[in-house]
C-alpha cells in the first residue's frame, strides 16, 4: 500500500526544511500489509519499489535500490543522505503502565528535570543530555560514583497520538548490568503516568537495545525504514 505525504509538509520539507524523508516503509509485526509513505515527487520510485522489493523490503538489494533512485534526485534539491540510511529500525511501543517491568528500576536510577542539575553531573555516555528549563521534559540517569553511566531521554513527540519516542545509552564499561533497562523503565513510567504512550526504536543489529525493549515489556510493532536526507550544510 502506498500513501502520500501531506502536500504542504512535502513542499515545506523540499523547499525550506532542513530534513526530508522522501520515502518511508513500514512492515507491521502482525503480518499486515507493507506501507510505503512517499512524497508525490517520488511516486514512481515508490511504485517501482513496491513491485520489485515488496516481499523483501529491508534486504540490502531493496535499500540499495532506494539509495540509487533517491540520492541523486535529492542531491539536485541540495540534500545529502543520512549516513545512517543502512538498515531497518525495530519499533516498540508501551501504552499501559501495567505492562511495564517496574522491578527493573534500580536504586541509583533517578529522574532529572532541571538542566542545571543535569549539567553538574559528569556524563560518561556518548549521549549529550538536556532537559527543558520549564520542567516539561525529563531524563532518567543511572549514577555510579557521581557520574552518569546510563541514561534514557526523550527524543521526539508524535502529535498524532501524543506518544513520545525515547532513546537509551550506556557507557561501554557499564553495560550488561541492567543500568540501561533501569533508565528506560523509569522514564517510560514517568511518561505513561503523564498520559504519553512510549515508543522505542533501535537498529535490527543492536541486540543489547532489543533486550532493553523486551525486558521492559515493550510490544514489538514492526520494522521501519526512513530514507532521511539533510539540507546540505546542516550536518
Amino acid at each position: 500500500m502506498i500513501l502520500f505525504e501531506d502536500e504542504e509538509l512535502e513542499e515545506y520539507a523540499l523547499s525550506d526544511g532542513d530534513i526530508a524523508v522522501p520515502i518511508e516503509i513500514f512492515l507491521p509485526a502482525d503480518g499486515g500489509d507493507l506501507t510505503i509513505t512517499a512524497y508525490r515527487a517520488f511516486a514512481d520510485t515508490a511504485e517501482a519499489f513496491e513491485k520489485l522489493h515488496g516481499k523483501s523490503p529491508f534486504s540490502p538489494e531493496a535499500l540499495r535500490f532506494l539509495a540509487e533512485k533517491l540520492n541523486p534526485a535529492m542531491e539536485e534539491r541540495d540534500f545529502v543522505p543520512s549516513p545512517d540510511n543502512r538498515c531497518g529500525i525495530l519499533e516498540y511501543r508501551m501504552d499501559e503502565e501495567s505492562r511495564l517491568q517496574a522491578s527493573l528500576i534500580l536504586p541509583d536510577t533517578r529522574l532529572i528535570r532541571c538542566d542545571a542539575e543535569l549539567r553538574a553531573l559528569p556524563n560518561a555516555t556518548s549521549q549529550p543530555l538536556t532537559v527543558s528549563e520549564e520542567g516539561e521534559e525529563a531524563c532518567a540517569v543511572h549514577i555510579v560514583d557521581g557520574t552518569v553511566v546510563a541514561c534514557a531521554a526523550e527524543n521526539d513527540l508524535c502529535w498524532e497520538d501524543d506518544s513520545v519516542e525515547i532513546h537509551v545509552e550506556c557507557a561501554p564499561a557499564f553495560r550488561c548490568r541492567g543500568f540501561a533497562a533501569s533508565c528506560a523503565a523509569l522514564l517510560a513510567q514517568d511518561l505513561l503516568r503523564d498520559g504519553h504512550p512510549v515508543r522505542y526504536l533501535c537498529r535490527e543489529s543492536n541486540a543489547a537495545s532489543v533486550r532493553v525493549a523486551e525486558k521492559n515489556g515493550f510490544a514489538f510493532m514492526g520494522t521501519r525504514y526512513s530514507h532521511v536526507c539533510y539540507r546540505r550544510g546542516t550536518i
Side-chain angles (χ1 to χ4, degrees), residues 143-165:
I143 299 173
V144 174
D145 295 331
T147 297
V148 173
V149 300
C151 61
E154 299 179 26
N155 192 42
D156 191 25
L157 172 67
C158 178
W159 296 103
E160 293 179 359
D161 62 359
D162 216 26
S163 63
V164 175
E165 178 191 330

Side-chain angles (χ1 to χ4, degrees), residues 19-20 32 42 73 97 99 104 123 151 154 180 210 225:
I19 302 176
F42 296 95
E97 187 181 347
R99 292 180 51 88
L104 294 172
N123 183 5
C151 61
E154 299 179 26
V210 170
Y225 173 81

Side-chain angles (χ1 to χ4, degrees), residues 4-225:
F4 291 106
E5 183 61 87
D6 178 84
E7 290 187 60
E8 290 186 6
L9 288 176
E10 175 181 341
E11 182 179 357
Y12 172 79
L14 293 177
S15 59
D16 300 310
D18 291 334
I19 302 176
V21 184
I23 284 182
E24 182 175 75
I25 56 180
F26 181 72
L27 185 64
D30 61 8
D33 293 336
L34 177 73
T35 299
I36 303 171
T37 304
Y39 292 166
R40 286 171 174 78
F42 296 95
D44 291 346
T45 298
E47 291 170 359
F49 179 87
E50 183 179 46
K51 180 178 180 180
L52 295 172
H53 300 288
K55 294 183 178 180
S56 54
F58 304 105
S59 67
E61 294 77 16
L63 300 187
R64 189 180 308 116
F65 172 87
L66 287 179
E68 291 174 352
K69 294 292 184 181
L70 296 175
N71 290 352
M74 291 301 292
E75 287 170 1
E76 291 179 0
R77 292 171 166 83
D78 207 30
F79 283 88
V80 294
S82 167
D84 294 327
N85 291 342
R86 295 190 297 268
C87 63
I89 300 296
L90 304 181
E91 189 166 310
Y92 295 84
R93 185 179 176 97
M94 177 75 67
D95 288 282
E96 300 176 3
E97 187 181 347
S98 61
R99 292 180 51 88
L100 185 67
Q101 300 300 310
S103 61
L104 294 172
I105 301 173
L106 300 171
D108 290 325
T109 302
R110 72 174 195 250
L111 279 174
I112 295 182
R113 298 185 186 276
C114 174
D115 199 45
E117 180 184 359
L118 192 60
R119 291 197 304 269
L121 289 169
N123 183 5
T125 77
S126 62
Q127 180 64 48
L129 295 172
T130 59
V131 294
S132 62
E133 291 291 352
E134 295 78 13
E136 296 175 353
E137 294 181 17
C139 70
V141 298
H142 188 84
I143 299 173
V144 174
D145 295 331
T147 297
V148 173
V149 300
C151 61
E154 299 179 26
N155 192 42
D156 191 25
L157 172 67
C158 178
W159 296 103
E160 293 179 359
D161 62 359
D162 216 26
S163 63
V164 175
E165 178 191 330
I166 68 172
H167 58 268
V168 177
E169 176 66 29
C170 187
F174 295 88
R175 290 173 182 168
C176 301
R177 302 190 198 180
F179 298 162
S182 175
C183 291
L186 183 58
L187 183 58
Q189 182 184 71
D190 183 68
L191 288 166
L192 290 164
R193 290 179 177 178
D194 200 34
H196 297 285
V198 182
R199 292 178 292 120
Y200 184 105
L201 279 61
C202 61
R203 294 175 184 269
E204 291 177 295
S205 58
N206 192 338
S209 194
V210 170
R211 284 196 299 272
V212 167
E214 293 178 345
K215 285 173 63 176
N216 270 291
F218 281 80
F220 177 51
M221 304 304 294
T223 307
R224 185 180 301 276
Y225 173 81

